[in-house]
Amino acid sequence: MIKYIGSKRKLVPLLGAVAAELPISSACDIFAGTTRVGQELRRRGLVVSSNDLSHYTEQFGYAYIVADGGEDRTALQEILDECNQLEGYDGYFTKTFCEQARYFQPKNGRRVDAIRDHLDTLSLSPPARGILLTSLIEAADRVDSTTGVQMAYLKKWAARSEKDMQLLLPETVPGPVGSVSRCDANQLAPKVETDLTYIDPPYNQHSYAGNYHIWETLVRWDQPEAYGVARKREDTKTNKSAYNSKRSAKDTFDDLLGNLSSPWLMVSFSNEGYHESDHVIVQLQKQRKFVKVLAVDYKRYVGAQIGIHDLKGNKVGSVSHLRNKELLFLAGPELEPLEAACDAAIRQELAEQHT
Ligand SMILES: C[S@@+](CC[C@H](N)C(=O)[O-])C[C@H]1O[C@@H](n2cnc3c(N)ncnc32)[C@H](O)[C@@H]1O
C-alpha cells in the first residue's frame, strides 16, 4: 500500500477488533484514502462501501473492496509481465514529474508513461482496471523520491528511486464483495444505508488533492496544466475540501453527522488537528444514545526508539511534545456492544504492546 499521511496503518487491527464487537453486517468507510480500514472490515466479514473524493482511492476500492478473486488473475499477471517489459518513452509524466520536478528518476518516469498509455488500450472490467492501476501506483510509490507527500521532492535522490520500477499483482482481500463511490462525504451521507459508518476526515489545512496530485493525475491521465515547483494540478487551487479549512471544518463535520443514519458510528481523529474532542462528543451525543472515547497512543514506539522510554515501555522522560494520540469515538444505540468494543480495543492494545 502507498505511503499516505493520516493513514490508519497502526490503528487497523484495533479498529477491526472494535467493529467485531458490534451487531453489524455492513460498513461505510466514507473517507477511505488507502482503503486499508475498509480492507480490514471486509476481512472481518462486513460488506464494505468505500468512498473518497479522489480518483486514486476509487481505483484502490475496485482492487481491494470490490475485486473478489473471480477476475482472471493469470491474465492480469500476464498484462503486468508485459508492462514490466515495455520500453519507456518521454511523455507528460516524465516531462512534468521527472524533468520539471524530480519526484522519480526519468528511467522510471518513462516507463510510467508507456505503461499508463498501454493500460488505456485494453478493454478491462472496473475491478481489473482498478487492480492494474493500483499495481502501477504502488510500484511508482516504491521508487519515488519524496518524504511521503507530493508537495515537494527531495533535494538529493532517495536511494529507492535508483531501483527499477516493478509492478506486482495486488492481493485479493478475502470477504464479501463491497462497493465503491467517489463522492463528497456530506453529499453521500443521506444515502448511506450501512450499519456502521467509519469517519476519518482530513484533520488540518493540508489538502489530500495537493499532497497526492501525482496519483490523481496518473489515474485521470488528463495531462492537466501544472504549476509551481511541485507541478501540482491547476485544479488543486480550486478543488478544496471543506475539511481543510479551520473555519468550515467543524460545521461540515456536524452536518455530516446529522445526515448519517447508520446506527453505529466510529470516528477517528488525531489530536493534532482542528477537531476538539469535547465538541465531537457533544455532537455524537446529539445523534446517538451512547458515546465512548478511546485515546490511542499510536506513536508510542517513536518515544521508545529515541530512548524516552526504557525497554519495558516505562516512561523515563517527557514526551508530551512527541505524543500523537489518535482519538477514537464510538457511538450507537446500545451500551453493551460499545463497552465490549472498548474492552476489545484495550485487549488489542495490550497484545500489540507485547509483540
Ligand atoms: C485522513 S484521510 C483517510 C485515511 C484512511 N482512513 C486510510 O487509512 O488510508 C482523509 C481522506 O478524506 C478524503 N477527503 C477529503 N475531503 C473529502 C470529502 N469532502 N469527501 C470525501 N472524501 C474526502 C481525502 O482524499 C483523504 O483520502
Side-chain angles (χ1 to χ4, degrees):
M1 239 165 288
I2 58 162
K3 302 183 276 301
Y4 205 61
I5 198 156
S7 172
K8 296 295 161 289
R9 192 165 57 88
K10 294 211 172 140
L11 213 57
V12 159
L14 187 139
L15 294 175
V18 164
E21 298 297 330
L22 303 178
I24 55 174
S25 60
S26 58
C28 177
D29 184 8
I30 202 161
F31 297 94
T34 58
T35 73
R36 62 172 92 234
V37 176
Q39 292 178 37
E40 173 68 12
L41 298 177
R42 182 181 187 185
R43 265 185 230 109
R44 299 237 177 204
L46 301 179
V47 179
V48 174
S49 313
S50 180
N51 177 69
D52 199 282
L53 272 183
S54 72
H55 284 72
Y56 53 85
T57 294
E58 185 181 25
Q59 298 309 319
F60 299 154
Y62 279 119
Y64 292 124
I65 303 298
V66 178
D68 64 355
E71 302 77 28
D72 185 344
R73 290 182 63 86
T74 310
L76 289 172
Q77 185 60 62
E78 280 168 13
I79 297 172
L80 292 181
D81 292 345
E82 202 182 337
C83 289
N84 280 326
Q85 298 300 321
L86 276 182
E87 189 76 35
Y89 53 72
D90 286 345
Y92 175 90
F93 195 93
T94 313
K95 191 172 106 213
T96 313
F97 301 127
C98 311
E99 291 170 3
Q100 297 171 352
R102 286 158 41 103
Y103 291 105
F104 304 91
Q105 303 260 358
K107 63 170 185 174
N108 284 322
R110 280 197 285 272
R111 292 186 50 224
V112 170
D113 270 313
I115 293 168
R116 184 63 188 84
D117 280 344
H118 177 62
L119 293 182
D120 271 357
T121 67
L122 308 175
S123 160
L124 299 163
S125 67
R129 183 167 181 274
I131 290 169
L132 297 173
L133 285 172
T134 297
S135 169
L136 177 56
I137 293 175
E138 291 180 348
D141 185 59
R142 286 192 290 270
V143 295
D144 76 345
S145 190
T146 73
T147 58
V149 286
Q150 297 163 351
M151 305 282 280
Y153 42 91
L154 298 174
K155 280 208 181 103
K156 274 175 65 183
W157 286 113
R160 64 173 174 273
S161 73
E162 312 280 346
K163 292 188 189 146
D164 289 333
M165 183 178 74
Q166 181 75 15
L167 276 67
L168 305 172
L169 188 59
E171 299 273 327
T172 306
V173 176
V177 175
S179 59
V180 65
S181 57
R182 181 169 45 77
C183 300
D184 177 272
N186 288 56
Q187 285 176 16
L188 183 68
K191 296 176 217 146
V192 171
E193 291 178 345
T194 49
D195 302 329
L196 169 75
T197 297
Y198 171 56
I199 304 165
D200 183 25
Y203 54 90
N204 62 18
Q205 75 279 18
H206 298 299
S207 118
Y208 282 83
N211 271 334
Y212 298 101
H213 62 99
I214 301 179
W215 304 149
E216 187 69 9
T217 294
L218 188 48
V219 170
R220 291 167 72 171
W221 211 229
D222 53 354
Q223 312 207 348
E225 282 293 322
Y227 71 95
V229 179
R231 310 313 290 148
K232 286 199 256 175
R233 303 172 59 87
E234 194 65 24
D235 60 13
T236 58
K237 288 182 185 166
T238 44
N239 274 357
K240 300 268 181 214
S241 169
Y243 289 90
N244 292 129
S245 145
K246 191 164 188 182
R247 211 145 31 108
S248 55
K250 270 189 191 167
D251 287 349
T252 313
F253 174 75
D254 299 351
D255 171 78
L256 176 75
L257 287 190
N259 280 304
L260 282 169
S261 58
S262 303
W264 302 91
L265 300 173
M266 190 157 83
V267 183
S268 62
F269 279 122
S270 157
N271 69 347
E272 291 179 327
Y274 292 155
H275 298 273
E276 290 144 17
S277 49
D278 290 351
H279 176 82
V280 177
I281 293 168
V282 169
Q283 292 305 313
L284 285 169
Q285 280 170 337
K286 277 191 200 164
Q287 306 296 340
R288 300 293 180 274
K289 197 163 175 199
F290 298 103
V291 177
K292 289 267 171 195
V293 188
L294 288 158
V296 185
D297 195 359
Y298 80 111
K299 278 198 180 158
R300 58 186 175 272
Y301 297 116
V302 173
Q305 276 160 22
I306 63 171
I308 285 170
H309 291 85
D310 65 18
L311 288 177
K312 288 186 183 142
N314 299 319
K315 199 168 139 190
V316 292
S318 168
V319 289
S320 56
H321 64 294
L322 276 178
R323 287 287 169 103
N324 179 341
K325 285 208 169 58
E326 191 73 28
L327 300 173
L328 183 64
F329 304 84
L330 302 171
E334 297 159 43
L335 186 58
E336 259 178 38
L338 289 181
E339 285 182 337
C342 289
D343 290 348
I346 292 162
R347 280 197 303 277
Q348 179 68 38
E349 267 286 280
L350 289 174
E352 276 179 43
Q353 278 172 22
H354 289 99
T355 52

